[in-house]
Amino acid sequence: MINSDNFEKFEYLHRKSDDWKYWRKKLSDVGSKGIPVFFRIENSEIKDFGLAFLYKVPFTYSPKEINNIHQKIDWNSGADLAQCIFGFSAKENDNQSALKGRIQFSPAKPINEPIPFTDRIRTTLGSPRASYYPIYIVQTPQTVNDNIVEKYITYNDRNAQLKWKRYPVHNSVTNYPSAGNDDINTEFLPLKSGIQFESYIRFHNLRSPELGALLSAISFHGNEKNLFHSIGMAKPMGFGKISINYSLEPEANANRDPDFYMAAFEREMNHFLGKDWIKTEQIKELFTMAWDKKELLKNVDLSYMVMSTSREDNQFARAKNFNKYLKLYTELTGTFFQPASIS
């Protein structure tokens, strides 16, 4: 008997497989008696299965399971800060099914004429796969008898920890080569730099720390002159980099300064964490990746790794051969952006 866990892992590995698309249609046909599969048995139960004799063997834990081990959400402990601000629906294991958000974003409309950066660009925007653990799992060199041993931590390790995915900003647009295959290419029309858009954020009854959280997220905690957001597609090639200027309208919240609310948010985070939130590793990495300082980027290659059917040219395969993995951005650049405390 195949349990739901086995099937979920099988479907995760084969969700884009042409074989599975073919057999899934056969399986759904009226009167179907099933499809042929290969499988392994452990302790009288099916351990895993696949469509070929040498099928892909799933990892012990899925990315979702690894995340739940280290960051399990307790749905009965109440809503978190983001849920309180933006609302939620269909909470798991909880009778309270929804909460209305207290914030609305208007469409961003151009102030000046949107001028195209160039003609339409046709390029390959490959997406990394979570199964490539040298990038998606935190890797730490292990020491054995005072010798550093490079050994990968994979999804078979219960102590594995997921990395968070974010593309660092660039200070120029990198090459965007075409694969010469329209089946995998994407076409888009980027805008020239300097185009300005205007948008309004309307909120209702936000507490001071909640409004501070919103302002902190928009301004990188008051560092909007030095740090940049990334939106839209082709971010790994340097597109989508934006700067946000903001102001609180008089009727928004009396005559308070934005720093007042961000300080309230920072104090709330310090109290929750029991330490200085602004000095945490997560904030240090986030802010450094939003920094486009030329000295920071001059020795860092931010281009895509090359995928190829030739093992000699396949940088993903070669990286594994040499036990390479994606280090923290602050390690790659050798520096970091440390924001100042507002509170």
Side-chain angles (χ1 to χ4, degrees):
M1 184 69 180
I2 295 174
N3 60 39
S4 60
D5 182 54
N6 280 336
F7 185 76
E8 284 179 8
K9 290 180 178 179
F10 163 82
E11 198 164 38
Y12 175 77
L13 289 174
H14 296 83
R15 63 193 184 283
K16 295 187 178 180
S17 163
D18 291 334
D19 287 342
W20 175 228
K21 291 177 184 177
Y22 171 81
W23 284 113
R24 183 169 54 187
K25 186 177 182 303
K26 294 284 187 183
L27 191 61
S28 61
D29 288 345
V30 176
S32 172
K33 296 182 179 179
I35 62 174
V37 296
F38 295 85
F39 60 91
R40 295 190 302 170
I41 291 180
E42 185 177 79
N43 299 325
S44 302
E45 294 184 356
I46 293 178
K47 182 178 181 181
D48 47 56
F49 69 98
L51 299 173
F53 181 67
L54 296 175
Y55 59 85
K56 294 179 180 179
V57 177
F59 289 110
T60 304
Y61 304 100
S62 68
K64 181 179 179 181
E65 289 171 328
I66 289 293
N67 186 65
N68 287 341
I69 290 172
H70 297 282
Q71 195 171 331
K72 187 171 180 60
I73 299 174
D74 181 7
W75 292 107
N76 296 314
S77 65
D80 63 21
L81 182 60
Q83 290 171 322
C84 288
I85 296 173
F86 294 101
F88 58 83
S89 61
K91 286 182 68 176
E92 300 178 12
N93 305 322
D94 195 341
N95 294 327
Q96 189 179 11
S97 59
L99 177 69
K100 184 179 180 180
R102 291 169 286 148
I103 182 171
Q104 292 179 329
F105 292 81
S106 75
K109 298 180 179 180
I111 298 175
N112 47 4
E113 183 182 356
I115 303 172
F117 167 73
T118 180
D119 294 331
R120 287 187 175 274
I121 292 175
R122 188 183 297 274
T123 188
T124 304
L125 299 176
S127 178
R129 296 285 181 261
S131 57
Y132 192 73
Y133 45 81
I135 288 178
Y136 270 82
I137 291 182
V138 176
Q139 304 292 337
T140 53
Q142 302 174 46
T143 304
V144 178
N145 297 327
D146 295 330
N147 294 317
I148 296 178
V149 179
E150 297 285 358
K151 181 181 178 183
Y152 281 128
I153 300 171
T154 71
Y155 292 103
N156 290 326
D157 191 333
R158 183 179 174 82
N159 294 319
Q161 294 187 31
L162 296 180
K163 280 186 167 183
W164 50 285
K165 178 179 173 181
R166 183 179 177 89
Y167 296 111
V169 299
H170 300 214
N171 51 33
S172 63
V173 174
T174 60
N175 292 329
Y176 33 89
S178 171
N181 184 346
D182 285 344
D183 291 337
I184 61 174
N185 279 338
T186 300
E187 185 178 275
F188 62 98
L189 183 63
L191 298 178
K192 259 191 172 182
S193 61
I195 308 299
Q196 297 181 0
F197 292 80
E198 185 177 62
S199 175
Y200 287 89
I201 302 175
R202 296 175 173 87
F203 55 89
H204 175 66
N205 279 353
L206 289 184
R207 297 174 57 217
S208 293
E210 293 173 327
L211 179 54
L214 177 62
L215 292 169
S216 179
I218 291 172
S219 69
F220 290 100
H221 212 56
N223 292 281
E224 68 276 6
K225 293 182 180 179
N226 298 307
L227 307 182
F228 298 85
H229 290 276
S230 294
I231 62 172
M233 63 171 58
K235 292 187 286 291
M237 297 174 182
F239 293 102
K241 173 181 162 188
I242 65 169
S243 174
I244 298 181
N245 297 318
Y246 67 96
S247 63
L248 275 174
E249 293 197 346
E251 57 270 20
N253 253 32
N255 53 2
R256 298 289 192 182
D257 185 270
D259 282 1
F260 171 85
Y261 300 104
M262 286 190 281
F265 165 65
E266 185 180 335
R267 286 193 296 270
E268 190 77 14
M269 293 299 292
N270 292 347
H271 175 72
F272 178 79
L273 294 173
K275 58 182 178 181
D276 289 339
W277 164 77
I278 204 69
K279 295 180 180 179
T280 57
E281 292 297 315
Q282 292 90 336
I283 292 298
K284 183 170 70 174
E285 291 294 329
L286 171 66
F287 283 37
T288 305
M289 295 184 85
W291 196 16
D292 73 338
K293 187 178 180 182
K294 289 185 178 180
E295 291 78 9
L296 174 81
L297 300 172
K298 65 180 180 181
N299 295 321
V300 180
D301 182 7
L302 295 179
S303 60
Y304 268 127
M305 291 172 68
V306 175
M307 173 69 77
S308 172
T309 54
S310 168
R311 193 165 184 84
E312 292 298 320
D313 298 328
N314 190 330
Q315 292 184 347
F316 289 88
R318 286 167 54 191
K320 274 189 176 181
N321 289 341
F322 292 99
N323 292 309
K324 299 285 187 180
Y325 58 88
L326 184 60
K327 295 182 179 180
L328 294 175
Y329 192 62
T330 52
E331 293 181 73
L332 293 173
T333 58
T335 187
F336 61 90
F337 185 97
Q338 178 60 69
S341 168
I342 295 178
S343 69

